Amino acid sequence: MGREQSDDQYKDLRQHSIPDPQINTINLSDAVMNHISASQSGIKVRSYNPAKRFPIYATILFIVLLTSASVYAASELIQIRDRAGDVKIKSIVLESESKIVPYTHQNDSPLPTYRDRVLELVKPGQMLAYFVRNDRSSLAIQYLHNTNTNTSYNDFKELLDRTSAPVIKEPVSLPDGFTFKYGSVMPLTPNEHDASLAEEYARLLALFKQRAAAEPDQDLFVEEVNWTKANISELEYTKNDMSIRIQAMKDMIGMEVALSAEYTQETVAINGIETIFASGSIHGFQSYQAIWYDEAQKTHYQVTASGNVDLTEEQFKLVVKGLI
């Protein structure tokens, strides 16, 4: 997109790019990370990706990085390999039980951040890039996006098709009472390490440098990102306080899952695909999980039932079977 064209298109964004000494900059964590909740305590997931992709997926919506594989005190280990013998999934049951971190109520509302301001600007289907002027020696571009649909599975399917995101089938075996909550994708963010994304990154970098030099009194600069592809998708259904979340991740090297001692796990072959099932009860709350790797699609899948779960193991497995 040319500079002259962008002037009109981003006019509404730029009028918000104003200095505010009361607003602090923060380190960006993708908005999807907010979906990681106490309902998944006891489950930690680590992904490892191709070197050229690592800056892209560092903040995946449903991934919590483990500090080190050396912390494992494993009582049970399951590995799933592809036809070439490469490990695609490691699932480990630890000897320690899960720990619940008490919630601490904060009486004072925190000051709004630059990220909060950009969140007010992003529209459905958009990804925004923003740059905050500070004392850093290099210009750091951060991103926010709004790629959720809260209407129906058909709208979610259109989003998948439009962005080439990994496909998640519509569940056909959901127990009665479950309703569509949302579907979303995570766009590939422009960066200099991926050839297919480097051109857009260079465009944004040059534009931010130009604007920073031309607008010395501005602190916040916002631009819309030209994006077309996503490698992560998520779908969730809910019933009262129970949720079933389905997640798909394409083109990852592999995944590591660490389960607390309350869980047991097993492998079951479904339609020729080896699948890990795990179940456990943490502080009175039942939880189920299924993970598999679709080699033909080069996609990892994870299904989690959490919250106030009243499903039987057979009902959960029937849901998963309909997705594979």
Side-chain angles (χ1 to χ4, degrees):
M1 179 177 298
R3 172 70 185 184
E4 49 278 308
Q5 181 179 0
S6 68
D7 283 340
D8 292 334
Q9 182 170 355
Y10 304 137
K11 182 178 180 180
D12 290 340
L13 295 178
R14 290 178 182 172
Q15 70 180 2
H16 295 277
S17 300
I18 59 176
D20 189 338
Q22 293 183 326
I23 300 180
N24 301 316
T25 183
I26 65 167
N27 293 325
L28 174 66
S29 296
D30 197 277
V32 183
M33 288 295 288
N34 295 330
H35 294 160
I36 298 174
S37 63
S39 64
Q40 289 190 347
S41 61
I43 302 174
K44 293 184 179 180
V45 181
R46 179 182 181 181
S47 67
Y48 37 102
N49 309 283
K52 69 176 184 177
R53 298 286 191 187
F54 81 89
I56 305 172
Y57 304 127
T59 56
I60 291 179
L61 88 117
F62 38 86
I63 290 177
V64 180
L65 296 179
L66 299 178
T67 55
S68 170
S70 64
V71 304
Y72 294 159
S75 60
E76 184 178 357
L77 168 66
I78 293 177
Q79 293 183 338
I80 292 181
R81 300 175 182 268
D82 61 11
R83 291 187 181 89
D86 296 325
V87 175
K88 289 297 180 180
I89 302 174
K90 291 181 182 179
S91 184
I92 301 168
V93 176
L94 306 178
E95 293 179 348
S96 59
E97 295 187 350
S98 64
K99 296 180 180 179
I100 300 295
V101 179
Y103 172 74
T104 302
H105 178 72
Q106 295 181 349
N107 293 322
D108 298 329
S109 298
L111 290 174
T113 64
Y114 285 113
R115 181 173 180 268
D116 293 330
R117 176 168 289 183
V118 179
L119 277 172
E120 294 180 354
L121 301 177
V122 64
K123 298 176 182 178
Q126 274 189 331
M127 173 162 48
L128 297 183
Y130 68 99
F131 157 59
V132 177
R133 191 196 302 274
N134 54 31
D135 295 330
R136 295 176 186 172
S137 57
S138 60
L139 188 154
I141 300 177
Q142 304 183 69
Y143 301 95
L144 279 174
H145 59 82
N146 179 358
T147 53
N148 283 15
T149 176
N150 302 95
T151 49
S152 68
Y153 177 83
N154 288 336
D155 289 340
F156 172 60
K157 181 63 166 56
E158 289 181 8
L159 181 63
L160 296 183
D161 294 340
R162 189 169 70 249
T163 61
S164 300
V167 174
I168 299 177
K169 291 194 225 174
E170 183 176 17
V172 295
S173 302
L174 281 176
D176 292 340
F178 278 90
T179 58
F180 179 92
K181 183 178 182 182
Y182 73 90
S184 68
V185 301
M186 179 175 287
L188 294 174
T189 55
N191 71 93
E192 59 186 329
H193 302 280
D194 190 317
S196 65
L197 303 166
E199 183 177 351
E200 175 65 3
Y201 177 80
R203 182 189 76 88
L204 292 169
L205 186 64
L207 185 54
F208 280 133
K209 286 181 177 179
Q210 180 181 351
R211 291 190 59 195
E215 306 168 48
D217 295 331
Q218 306 287 8
D219 290 338
L220 173 64
F221 305 88
V222 184
E223 295 289 340
E224 185 173 2
V225 179
N226 298 325
W227 73 278
T228 57
K229 296 193 180 217
N231 271 23
I232 299 169
S233 53
E234 179 170 294
L235 178 62
E236 184 170 342
Y237 288 82
T238 58
K239 176 184 177 181
N240 299 324
D241 295 328
M242 176 173 43
S243 71
I244 292 180
R245 184 176 299 166
I246 309 158
Q247 301 157 328
M249 299 150 279
K250 186 166 61 177
D251 293 335
M252 293 199 314
I253 291 177
M255 175 188 291
E256 293 182 5
V257 179
L259 302 165
S260 59
E262 294 93 340
Y263 283 86
T264 59
Q265 62 179 351
E266 62 176 340
T267 58
V268 177
I270 299 178
N271 297 332
I273 294 181
E274 190 174 12
T275 305
I276 298 175
F277 283 98
S279 62
S281 178
I282 300 178
H283 304 285
F285 290 93
Q286 185 67 29
S287 178
Y288 298 111
Q289 167 173 199
I291 308 168
W292 68 93
Y293 177 67
D294 188 327
E295 187 167 357
Q297 303 297 325
K298 297 182 179 179
T299 300
H300 286 79
Y301 286 90
Q302 182 175 29
V303 184
T304 304
S306 59
N308 190 12
V309 176
D310 62 6
L311 296 177
T312 65
E313 186 171 330
E314 290 72 20
Q315 286 176 312
F316 178 73
K317 287 184 177 180
L318 190 61
V319 172
V320 174
K321 185 176 181 180
L323 293 168
I324 298 181

